[in-house]
Amino acid sequence: MLAAGFDDMFLYRQTRRGLWQRVLPATYALVTGTLTEEQRRISAALYAGPEAQLTGLAALRWYGFRYGPPTDDVHLVVPHRARRRSSGHAVIARALAVDDKARHTALYPVCSPARAVVDAARDLRQLRPVRAIVAESVQRGFTDLAALDEEIRRARRSRTALVRKAFAEVVAGARSAPEAELRECLAGSRLLPELLWNPRLCAGDGRRLPTPDGYLADAAVALEVDSQEFHFTPGDWARTLDRHNELSRSGVLILHFTPAQIRRSPALVRRTVEEAYESRRGVAATLDVRVEPPPEQV
């Protein structure tokens, strides 16, 4: 504004009249009312300076992530030499190195998805939302395991315990946060053998069968986590029924659990799986279903 010829008194009068609003120090919006999400990002970037990069949950929202917890804060990372401090909705962190893989837009740079995921996870205090953003980042193709691993190593041990755990679950094959919670729920069982997660199943004639989320091979019991996300349309529901029927025709028992059931009643979920396993132990020997090794082991 000063470069455009407006002095401090003019800015003061405009805000006093309610024509403009001061949103951050030395940062004004030429409109009144609540700022949009994009306007908040722009104002935070202007305040933080040209070297600032959008990161954390704000960057995940920019990329289109669905499962990051809502926040009004806009997180940015700046070089360590910068002296700008957090103010209002602009939350600023200094780093020894900014992201050399950041995407440059017309208005502000945005950290790479891997960097944004790790930065967001370091600011969260609960495992569930960290699981959600880590699983989504890989499942929806925003980033890959190698890039996530590189960013976790860069962050070292600074507030990375949760993201390290979530990353290990994804490496082990968890495709979603609810699936990781089901694994954790059943890991406490003293009765169940080791479960197979996302196994490749085939019928005796070589026909591929649907891949369940979890599978107890000895008892031919399949476990499915039914998230509402995948049942929004009649077509999605029909595909779920087709998967169920295909496995049932081969003699597999399918147990369905919702994320809410797993979170609210983990003991009941575990007991249900244990009882199904006990009642069907050894059944697989009479069925024409086999588990194939993962492709890399063939």
Side-chain angles (χ1 to χ4, degrees):
M1 287 296 184
L2 296 176
F6 299 117
D7 59 20
D8 289 339
M9 185 54 67
F10 179 79
L11 300 179
Y12 173 76
R13 287 197 299 267
Q14 290 296 89
T15 55
R16 280 295 299 268
R17 292 170 182 168
L19 300 176
W20 296 353
Q21 59 177 309
R22 178 181 180 273
V23 294
L24 290 167
T27 309
Y28 294 82
L30 308 189
V31 295
T32 58
T34 304
L35 298 183
T36 66
E37 189 173 17
E38 176 66 355
Q39 287 171 331
R40 293 172 69 83
R41 288 193 288 256
I42 294 171
S43 63
L46 288 172
Y47 166 73
E51 294 183 292
Q53 298 175 343
L54 197 70
T55 192
L57 292 174
L60 299 187
R61 290 278 296 176
W62 185 87
Y63 278 111
F65 275 62
R66 300 170 183 165
Y67 298 121
T71 178
D72 290 330
D73 293 334
V74 177
H75 288 254
L76 305 109
V77 61
V78 299
H80 198 269
R81 65 179 180 277
R83 290 293 174 260
R84 191 70 81 191
R85 295 184 177 181
S86 298
S87 179
H89 62 269
V91 180
I92 297 174
R94 295 203 301 271
L96 293 176
V98 293
D99 188 6
D100 59 2
K101 300 182 182 67
R103 302 188 183 185
H104 292 272
T105 73
L107 298 171
Y108 43 72
V110 184
C111 284
S112 64
R115 175 69 174 263
V117 165
V118 174
D119 284 349
R122 294 172 68 194
D123 289 326
L124 296 172
R125 296 293 176 265
Q126 294 183 327
L127 180 58
R128 186 178 301 162
V130 174
R131 276 175 168 153
I133 61 175
V134 171
E136 182 179 8
S137 71
V138 176
Q139 184 68 9
R140 295 185 58 206
F142 288 110
T143 188
D144 56 31
L145 294 177
L148 279 174
D149 184 49
E150 180 181 346
E151 287 299 331
I152 292 171
R153 292 175 183 274
R154 177 198 58 77
R156 299 182 181 178
R157 293 288 175 179
S158 175
R159 296 177 288 127
T160 58
L162 296 182
V163 71
R164 287 176 184 275
K165 179 174 176 59
F167 177 75
E169 292 170 345
V170 172
V171 170
R175 297 180 297 186
S176 67
E179 184 180 312
E181 291 169 2
L182 179 61
R183 293 180 183 221
E184 191 171 59
C185 165
L186 299 181
S189 174
R190 298 181 179 180
L191 174 66
L192 298 176
E194 182 178 358
L195 277 85
L196 303 177
W197 297 99
N198 306 306
R200 292 160 53 92
L201 301 182
C202 284
D205 58 6
R207 178 171 42 91
R208 283 291 305 275
L209 296 174
T211 297
D213 294 323
Y215 190 64
L216 289 160
D218 182 39
V221 172
L223 310 178
E224 291 275 71
V225 180
D226 293 330
S227 174
Q228 186 182 13
E229 175 193 1
F230 301 108
H231 296 155
F232 278 159
T233 69
D236 295 333
W237 179 240
R239 282 188 289 274
T240 297
L241 292 179
D242 288 342
R243 286 165 49 82
H244 182 112
N245 294 338
E246 185 75 10
L247 288 170
S248 296
R249 274 174 38 201
S250 299
V252 176
L253 172 67
I254 306 102
L255 301 179
H256 295 266
F257 302 104
T258 66
Q261 286 175 312
I262 298 168
R263 291 165 187 164
R264 288 199 297 255
S265 307
L268 176 60
V269 169
R270 185 165 55 245
R271 185 165 66 250
T272 300
V273 176
E274 288 175 340
E275 290 174 355
Y277 172 73
E278 281 206 299
S279 68
R280 290 174 56 89
R281 188 181 302 183
V283 164
T286 67
L287 301 179
D288 208 7
V289 176
R290 70 174 186 273
V291 179
E292 290 193 340
E296 64 270 14
Q297 297 179 8
V298 175

